[in-house]
Amino acid sequence: MDEKNNVTEQLKELITIHGFNKNTLSQYLGLPLDSIEDLSNGNIDFLPDDCSYRFRLFNKISFLYASATEDKDLKLTAFLQVLLSHHGLSKKTVAAMAGVETKDIERLLSNPPKKVSEEIKFKIAVTVMSLRFFLKDCEPQL
């Protein structure tokens, strides 16, 4: 997949290629449905001139786009790092909650990452997703 350089192209691809629900985009971006269509067609004239507003809006679109296009292992590692650094959880805690060994967490976090079985990676991913969901209120707003 070609990486799109501007957010209107990214938004259009989310809708057309990935079938992302426009109602969900409307709620997530805080824009009416017709504005979602306009924005995905490259029209940004209706947006407020406020640079910080546009920055937040464009970041939200880019984050969704990255979810569809970026390396999945890299994202798992990044979300795991948030749990360890921002939330102060230990590798031992995450491993215990995932039902894996601490060394599996360390392998996943090593640079470059060492081989971890798909089953272990799945267990870690499910645990990381649920922890991030429940701890999301402790994270700064985008």
Side-chain angles (χ1 to χ4, degrees):
M1 177 183 324
D2 293 331
E3 184 172 333
K4 302 298 177 200
N5 290 327
N6 80 44
V7 292
T8 61
E9 291 176 2
Q10 291 174 352
L11 183 60
K12 185 165 205 77
E13 188 170 314
L14 283 168
I15 294 167
T16 59
I17 305 295
H18 301 289
F20 210 94
N21 184 299
K22 289 181 187 177
N23 289 319
T24 301
L25 285 169
S26 174
Q27 290 178 337
Y28 176 66
L29 299 174
L31 295 171
L33 276 174
D34 59 332
S35 295
I36 297 295
E37 192 66 34
D38 287 346
L39 189 57
S40 71
N41 288 322
N43 177 10
I44 63 169
D45 295 336
F46 67 91
L47 294 175
D49 289 333
D50 179 8
C51 290
S52 64
Y53 171 84
R54 286 183 179 210
F55 180 76
R56 284 189 308 276
L57 178 71
F58 294 167
N59 272 346
K60 284 181 146 187
I61 294 168
S62 291
F63 289 145
L64 282 181
Y65 182 76
S67 291
T69 61
E70 294 296 319
D71 179 306
K72 307 304 182 206
D73 288 349
L74 182 63
K75 282 190 285 199
L76 172 58
T77 301
F79 286 130
L80 179 56
Q81 287 287 12
V82 170
L83 291 173
L84 300 175
S85 62
H86 180 76
H87 294 291
L89 299 180
S90 68
K91 294 174 192 173
K92 181 179 178 183
T93 298
V94 175
M97 293 181 79
V100 300
E101 301 290 323
T102 303
K103 66 183 177 185
D104 296 320
I105 301 290
E106 291 168 350
R107 282 187 185 121
L108 194 61
L109 293 171
S110 64
N111 191 9
K114 294 184 177 118
K115 183 74 175 156
V116 177
S117 77
E118 294 299 316
E119 179 184 350
I120 289 173
K121 202 180 299 182
F122 176 79
K123 289 179 178 183
I124 294 170
V126 169
T127 302
V128 167
M129 285 182 352
S130 64
L131 287 169
R132 289 292 309 277
F133 176 78
F134 291 117
L135 297 174
K136 69 181 181 230
D137 292 340
C138 300
E139 296 176 13
Q141 292 292 326
L142 294 176

